[in-house]
Amino acid sequence: MLRFPGHGRSESDDIVIGPLDLPARVDDALSVQALAFGLGPDEVAVRRQIVLRHMTFPGARAFGATVHDHLVGFVYGMPNDRTHWWSTVVEPYLRARGHGDWLDDSFVITELHVHPRHQQRGIGRALITTITEGAEQPRSILSAIDVESPARHLYRSLGYQDLARQVHFPSAARPYAVMGAPLPLPRG
């Protein structure tokens, strides 16, 4: 468990990072994601089924950031499998840029979201470094909206580099970038 000071509040307001039973807390997690990512109720309903399915995959795990057991951030991921939908979409983009091998022996960060009121405090960094610490794979991959953003800045600060840009997912209006980094990620 990691603790973050309550930023001027009492110690009882500390943010705690630890393992998350994501299937049991899926609605709490999706509430955070909806606020952080601007999702509507229909999109949340679709993502709920996706998250629950993902958590049945071998090696899938999740961590959460809580204050008084109130979820303010979460991350989940799993060892990559080329047969998973995400991999089948990004594979041609990676292959075209000479990075197709990144789909092998990688840990995928599937989702990472922090409630807007709790962003810019190091919570996202703590979540992603914590989940990748336990990975058996030598590297990590993820996708992020292909714009300069605080999320992309965080990933770069952790060693992630663009492997492919302008990746178009069938259900997404905006293009994504696929990024990869060697593990372990730097702490601090």
Side-chain angles (χ1 to χ4, degrees):
M1 297 277 184
L2 295 174
R3 288 192 175 275
F4 284 81
H7 299 284
R9 297 171 292 216
S10 72
E11 187 175 306
S12 65
D13 289 333
D14 286 355
I15 296 168
V16 179
I17 306 285
L20 176 66
D21 181 353
L22 188 53
R25 303 279 309 260
V26 67
D27 294 322
D28 295 337
L30 290 174
S31 292
V32 170
Q33 185 175 0
L35 286 169
F37 216 55
L39 302 178
D42 291 341
E43 184 66 16
V44 168
V46 169
R47 290 190 183 230
R48 186 177 198 282
Q49 298 309 311
I50 292 169
V51 169
L52 292 173
R53 185 179 72 244
H54 282 166
M55 293 309 295
T56 68
F57 293 170
R61 60 186 182 277
F63 286 83
T66 58
V67 177
H68 302 293
D69 201 42
H70 178 72
L71 194 67
V72 299
F74 76 100
V75 63
Y76 83 92
M78 65 198 79
N80 192 54
D81 183 327
R82 281 183 176 263
T83 65
H84 292 167
W85 177 83
W86 182 86
S87 290
T88 65
V89 173
V90 304
E91 190 274 334
Y93 294 93
L94 292 172
R95 187 173 18 88
R97 287 157 186 83
H99 297 299
D101 61 324
W102 274 84
L103 293 173
D104 299 316
D105 212 17
S106 292
F107 187 83
V108 179
I109 302 300
T110 308
E111 299 288 350
L112 170 62
H113 299 286
V114 177
H115 190 288
R117 285 193 312 244
H118 296 276
Q119 292 176 359
Q120 304 298 319
R121 296 182 185 181
I123 297 168
R125 176 180 295 276
L127 285 166
I128 195 170
T129 56
T130 300
I131 196 168
T132 57
E133 276 179 348
E136 295 176 9
Q137 296 74 21
R139 55 191 174 185
S140 173
I141 54 178
L142 56 81
S143 55
I145 295 175
D146 195 1
V147 297
E148 292 310 310
S149 65
R152 293 280 305 278
H153 177 76
L154 168 64
Y155 302 143
R156 284 191 190 102
S157 76
L158 291 166
Y160 285 88
Q161 296 181 4
D162 291 341
L163 301 174
R165 297 194 62 193
Q166 297 297 301
V167 175
H168 295 274
F169 289 97
S171 58
R174 299 183 281 184
Y176 279 69
V178 176
M179 303 176 78
L183 294 179
L185 299 177
R187 278 270 187 191

